[in-house]
Amino acid sequence: MGDDVVIFDEALTSSPELTLHIPPRKPGHYFCTRGGSLGVGFPGALGVKLAMPDKTVIGFSGDGGSMYTFQALWTAAHHDIGAKFVVCNNRSYQLLKLNVQQYWLERGFADHAFPASFDLGSPEIRFDELARSMGVPSARVEAPEEAGPRSQRLLRSPARI
């Protein structure tokens, strides 16, 4: 990626892989959530894009985090804020699960099943269709070999994908 790309990372459980493939190299070009809070990724990307209109800004969020503030995509389309968005979808509130498991471990509770509310896989959430319904062009990556071409398309496009 070029020097004009700025990342806002709220993908949390996908952040290690994200920073492995897109390592932060330049000060002021990588932002992330503080304290593990959910929902700041897409609004954060909008704020960074407004502050740095000449940069390519990509907001990464997990599916759970994006569920908190997905309406930010409508704001982007409505106000023509050219940030780009990526949902890392593991069909779960994975960070919340990890936090609860740590809580159980620290208190000596046995690990046990999570309530259905932690599952985001049924019914399937089509983030690409949600994005389109809010006026944001989108693409869905279903296989690893699609990631490279879709990423290149994301970077070349003036539109949000």
Side-chain angles (χ1 to χ4, degrees):
M1 286 202 212
D3 285 343
D4 71 321
V5 175
V6 179
I7 302 294
F8 195 106
D9 175 14
E10 189 226 356
L12 299 173
T13 55
S14 296
S15 292
E17 289 82 10
L18 174 63
T19 56
L20 175 67
H21 295 286
I22 309 171
R25 291 195 173 114
K26 188 173 181 184
H29 282 66
Y30 179 83
F31 298 88
C32 60
T33 182
R34 289 299 210 197
S37 61
L38 296 176
V40 300
F42 293 163
L46 293 180
V48 171
K49 182 62 178 176
L50 291 171
M52 301 178 177
D54 59 321
K55 302 291 185 189
T56 299
V57 177
I58 306 171
F60 287 85
S61 182
D63 51 342
S66 72
M67 291 289 284
Y68 285 74
T69 56
F70 203 79
Q71 67 273 21
L73 274 69
W74 179 89
T75 301
H78 184 74
H79 294 287
D80 197 28
I81 303 169
K84 300 164 190 289
F85 308 96
V86 175
V87 177
C88 300
N89 188 357
N90 62 15
R91 295 171 180 78
S92 172
Y93 283 107
Q94 187 63 30
L95 181 69
L96 298 181
K97 284 182 177 179
L98 294 171
N99 288 341
V100 168
Q101 284 177 322
Q102 183 63 34
Y103 176 84
W104 290 341
L105 179 68
E106 290 172 3
R107 281 149 187 82
F109 299 142
D111 201 11
H112 54 278
F114 286 92
S117 58
F118 282 78
D119 176 19
L120 293 176
S122 180
E124 179 184 21
I125 301 168
R126 290 297 307 257
F127 292 99
D128 56 326
E129 293 174 8
L130 282 171
R132 275 193 295 280
S133 75
M134 293 187 186
V136 175
S138 65
R140 182 178 169 114
V141 174
E142 295 187 31
E145 60 273 8
E146 296 173 344
R150 296 278 164 86
S151 298
Q152 290 303 313
R153 184 174 151 209
L154 172 78
L155 290 170
R156 286 191 310 265
S157 172
R160 297 159 299 274
I161 297 177

